[in-house]
Amino acid sequence: MDDTISSHPVDDFDAAWQTVGQQYQPAILVTSALIKLSGAGERPVEVERLAATSGRPVDETLALARQFLKVNVQDGLVHLDLSATGASARYRLQIRERTIDANGCAPDIVWTALLVDTPIQAQATCPATGTPIRVDLTPDGVEHVEPPSTVIAVISPLAPQLQQLSSGEQADVDVCAHQPFFASAEAAAEWQAQHPGGRIFPVSEFVAWWRRFLTAQNVDIS
């Protein structure tokens, strides 16, 4: 296999990403709980239930939710909004009857799919070739990828922008914008040159890798 595509046991890349995960573990746990309990924003979640599931005090839970997610808190309920704020969006998501134009990154879509109890379809455009991309995901993994050569880009865990993320807006610009789907490994060649230490994963391999990452951070994927 081409060594630009990941098929690795635990190594320095994995270990360093686990270190990043530990740094942001409280935010990861709150984000995961809110995605799961809300059905990716389909329904509101009681503040106390979100805090209990996250294992954090209520005040800290709300602070983390507001810091890294687009939420509205009213009458003791947290409403999650996955839609893009601006006019342009990187992805179009189909979750049940909802069509959502969203930003974030390709890993975010897999993260969501692993936690909700319904299939998710993501549509994107390869930033290098303009090729339309479609990925169908379920909590169990990948159902369909078009084109089959599609890969997910993941920046180096040692990238400076990962060291001090202070808001969802900053994360979207400095991290998420650099972790798209590409139509193929070849299409991601320029990205790899611009992101030393980063990796590209075939979609099915990334889903397995991300599942291991989240499980190591004590996220309940069951």
Side-chain angles (χ1 to χ4, degrees):
M1 180 179 289
D2 187 327
D3 64 8
T4 60
I5 296 182
S6 176
S7 182
H8 301 276
V10 174
D11 58 14
D12 290 346
F13 182 86
D14 300 328
W17 261 106
Q18 290 298 338
T19 298
V20 172
Q22 291 163 14
Q23 179 181 350
Y24 295 105
Q25 189 181 46
I28 290 171
L29 292 174
V30 170
T31 297
S32 299
L34 186 52
I35 291 171
K36 187 170 187 175
L37 294 173
S38 72
E42 185 175 28
R43 54 189 175 269
V45 179
E46 297 86 352
V47 170
E48 291 79 6
R49 185 183 181 200
L50 178 61
T53 303
S54 305
R56 322 301 300 183
V58 168
D59 289 349
E60 182 182 352
T61 297
L62 289 178
L64 287 166
R66 289 176 169 132
Q67 183 176 2
F68 288 105
L69 299 166
K70 186 179 174 185
V71 298
N72 181 30
V73 182
Q74 287 186 331
D75 300 324
L77 297 173
V78 183
H79 301 257
L80 173 64
D81 184 357
L82 297 181
S83 63
T85 302
S88 61
R90 299 184 192 106
Y91 308 103
R92 173 157 289 181
L93 308 180
Q94 189 70 41
I95 308 176
R96 297 189 192 275
E97 293 79 23
R98 294 181 294 152
T99 300
I100 304 168
D101 290 332
N103 284 324
C105 57
D108 287 342
I109 296 170
V110 174
W111 190 353
T112 301
L114 289 173
L115 292 170
V116 298
D117 59 353
T118 189
I120 293 179
Q121 180 188 107
Q123 298 177 34
T125 301
C126 175
T129 65
T131 302
I133 294 170
R134 172 180 160 179
V135 178
D136 293 345
L137 300 162
T138 74
D140 296 324
V142 182
E143 283 198 334
H144 180 75
V145 179
E146 186 62 37
S149 56
T150 296
V151 295
I152 291 177
V154 181
I155 64 173
S156 167
L158 303 179
Q161 60 265 43
L162 280 173
Q163 306 314 308
Q164 290 194 350
L165 294 174
S166 60
S167 69
E169 292 81 3
Q170 180 197 0
D172 190 63
V173 172
D174 292 345
V175 177
C176 291
H178 300 276
Q179 297 192 134
F181 293 104
F182 284 98
S184 66
E186 293 75 18
E190 183 176 349
W191 178 91
Q192 288 189 289
Q194 294 173 349
H195 297 83
R199 284 190 182 166
I200 56 172
F201 293 76
V203 176
S204 59
E205 286 191 22
F206 177 79
V207 171
W209 183 81
W210 198 237
R211 186 189 297 273
R212 291 195 300 272
F213 170 82
L214 292 174
T215 299
Q217 299 304 320
N218 297 321
V219 173
D220 180 12
I221 302 179
S222 59

